[in-house]
Amino acid sequence: MFFKSKKVIGLDIGTSSIKLAEMDFNGKGAQLLSFGFAPTPPNSVSGGEIVDIGAVGMAIQSLVNEVKSKRKSIATAMWGTAVIVKKITIPKMDKKLIKDQIRFEAEQYIPFDINNISLAHHILTASSSPDTMDILLIAAQNELVTQYTQVIEISGLTCGVLDVSGFALANAFELNYGKIPGEVIGILNFGASITNFVVLQNGEVIFCRDIPVGGANYTNEIHKAMGVTVAEAEALKLSAISRREVPDEVHSIISATNEAVTEEIRSSLDFLSATTNGLVLNRCFYTGGSSATSGLTETVSRVTGILLEPFNPFLRVKANPKKFSPEYLEQISSFAGVVTGLALREVGDAT
Ligand SMILES: Nc1ncnc2c1ncn2[C@@H]1O[C@H](COP(=O)(O)OP(=O)(O)OP(=O)(O)O)[C@@H](O)[C@H]1O
Ligand SMILES: [Mg+2]
């Protein structure tokens, strides 16, 4: 081979689980080559920060060995409150000058020390006036960037692409559903500690934030109210959701937490509307391990008046049925949104 493959291994490092995927893709479509899933070592990832680099690095290494990948480069994504995505408006200017202007603007908009952040930006095609340009500013604390690159390096690979979870989710959406011109599309990825919320307009990300609610809210409420350990609370939650016999209290805690989680989603929708001249979603998709929580998507739909539709990250992805049964694909699909988007990245891609 004359050229090294630029294809990567997608890796989504969550609080509850680590997901890995390899894809092949060309102009004709995409194919899933491998998928790996492992529980995150306890207390090693918190709020998007990798607090135990050694433990997570080992978990990544065993996942990579498990799928016997020949690829050496990883595409992974940061998330949490140490990453900020914000739409700003700047005077129209030459593309070459934007980078300096953005650093200047970031000082006003980003609540972190400007000397310790990494910045990226994306110019939005639509702008509010002819003299200005709308830009999506992406800022991450340098420490976070270091944590993600180091954890990959100690697992023996290189970090070829460092993305943001919401953008990876949007990438997976576009592969499967296209750009859906003219409509404003929301995607909610209900994880363990956060819910990624990303909004697309004409195929472009215009809003992206991590809402600090997820499956851990349910587990913690059960743990606190019923005096059981966190592991027992998690087991009670999953039993209730799969309709096994549990005390009635578990069901009532799940219902009450659905309302609390929905309140946070509703307030993010209000924030979206307030920061985008009253933009409302035409459609909203859901995914994530916690999206199967009984009554959650129904509660969000009832309170917000927006019908939630399931997001299938494998809708247009081919998979060898000898390797991946339809049942297995269905089982992993709600965990695979972010990692599918990452597996489609190539080294050298811009965020
Ligand atoms: N069948 C199920 N029904 C409801 N919740 C579930 C189910 N299976 C797993 N979960 C919950 O899904 C969460 C894990 O989902 P996921 O892997 O998407 O999260 P994560 O990416 O690790 O978390 P985060 O992105 O917040 O760090 C856990 O809170 C777990 O309890
Ligand atoms: Mg996640």
Side-chain angles (χ1 to χ4, degrees), residues 1-292:
M1 205 159 66
F2 290 96
F3 299 103
K4 271 197 205 154
S5 168
K6 285 178 163 182
K7 297 230 164 67
V8 295
I9 304 172
L11 183 78
D12 174 15
I13 307 170
T15 319
S16 155
S17 63
I18 302 176
K19 286 76 87 177
L20 176 154
E22 267 183 300
M23 309 259 276
D24 237 349
F25 47 91
N26 52 35
K28 289 196 204 112
Q31 185 182 6
L32 183 67
L33 300 180
S34 63
F35 190 84
F37 185 95
T40 306
N43 307 319
S44 62
V45 175
S46 171
E49 304 223 16
I50 304 177
V51 289
D52 188 341
I53 291 187
V56 177
M58 294 246 296
I60 296 171
Q61 200 169 40
S62 24
L63 264 182
V64 172
N65 290 341
E66 203 180 286
V67 300
K68 299 189 178 69
S69 176
K70 293 203 173 56
R71 297 183 184 173
K72 294 280 170 260
S73 193
I74 293 254
T76 192
M78 301 177 287
W79 55 272
T81 45
V83 188
I84 288 181
V85 179
K86 196 170 172 50
K87 190 173 126 184
I88 59 167
T89 303
I90 61 169
K92 207 168 207 144
M93 63 178 71
D94 194 285
K95 277 190 182 164
K96 287 187 210 121
L97 301 174
I98 294 177
K99 220 170 160 188
D100 288 335
Q101 179 72 18
I102 293 260
R103 197 147 261 281
F104 170 75
E105 299 278 339
E107 286 191 5
Q108 310 173 42
Y109 295 110
I110 306 294
F112 306 145
D113 176 3
I114 191 76
N115 299 309
N116 293 324
I117 59 170
S118 303
L119 288 172
H121 69 271
H122 175 70
I123 305 166
L124 297 172
T125 40
S127 118
S128 18
S129 101
D131 311 323
T132 61
M133 52 209 292
D134 287 347
I135 289 193
L136 215 55
L137 185 63
I138 303 140
Q141 287 180 343
N142 284 341
E143 205 187 316
L144 197 72
V145 174
T146 309
Q147 287 169 9
Y148 278 78
T149 41
Q150 274 185 354
V151 81
I152 306 298
E153 275 161 20
I154 66 157
S155 70
L157 294 137
T158 55
C159 183
V161 178
L162 187 55
D163 204 338
V164 171
S165 291
F167 286 84
L169 198 59
N171 196 32
F173 184 85
E174 188 175 336
L175 168 80
N176 290 289
Y177 297 84
K179 289 192 196 292
I180 319 193
E183 293 199 28
V184 182
I185 308 288
I187 315 169
L188 289 164
N189 177 28
F190 296 96
S193 64
I194 49 121
T195 295
N196 307 113
F197 177 38
V198 48
V199 179
L200 296 159
Q201 191 172 27
N202 297 319
E204 226 173 29
V205 174
I206 54 157
F207 184 90
C208 174
R209 82 177 337 202
D210 293 339
I211 311 170
V213 286
N217 288 58
Y218 298 83
T219 307
N220 287 336
E221 290 301 325
I222 296 170
H223 158 67
K224 279 192 293 187
M226 298 181 68
V228 293
T229 65
V230 172
E232 285 164 348
E234 175 79 10
L236 278 170
K237 175 183 86 171
L238 296 178
S239 294
I241 292 166
S242 52
R243 297 175 194 276
R244 285 195 290 274
E245 191 79 21
V246 292
D248 285 347
E249 196 179 355
V250 180
H251 292 289
S252 43
I253 295 170
I254 292 176
S255 301
T257 312
N258 278 338
E259 300 292 335
V261 167
T262 297
E263 203 38 45
E264 290 296 321
I265 308 292
R266 201 188 54 77
S267 105
S268 278
L269 284 168
D270 287 350
F271 184 70
L272 166 75
S273 166
T275 52
T276 52
N277 285 330
L279 206 64
V280 285
L281 302 182
N282 297 112
R283 294 175 75 181
C284 188
F285 289 79
Y286 68 85
T287 183
S290 295
S291 64

Side-chain angles (χ1 to χ4, degrees), residues 284-348:
C284 188
F285 289 79
Y286 68 85
T287 183
S290 295
S291 64
T293 307
S294 353
L296 172 59
T297 54
E298 292 83 351
T299 309
V300 175
S301 287
R302 170 172 54 74
V303 171
T304 62
I306 302 166
L307 175 74
L308 293 202
E309 309 172 48
F311 167 50
N312 179 0
F314 303 132
L315 187 68
R316 284 199 205 151
V317 174
K318 290 202 186 78
N320 181 348
K322 288 194 188 119
K323 194 165 176 187
F324 304 103
S325 70
E327 296 76 32
Y328 179 71
L329 285 179
E330 168 137 15
Q331 243 177 18
I332 61 172
S333 75
S334 57
F335 294 91
V338 170
V339 81
T340 302
L342 289 170
L344 295 166
R345 298 289 193 209
E346 284 187 281
V347 178

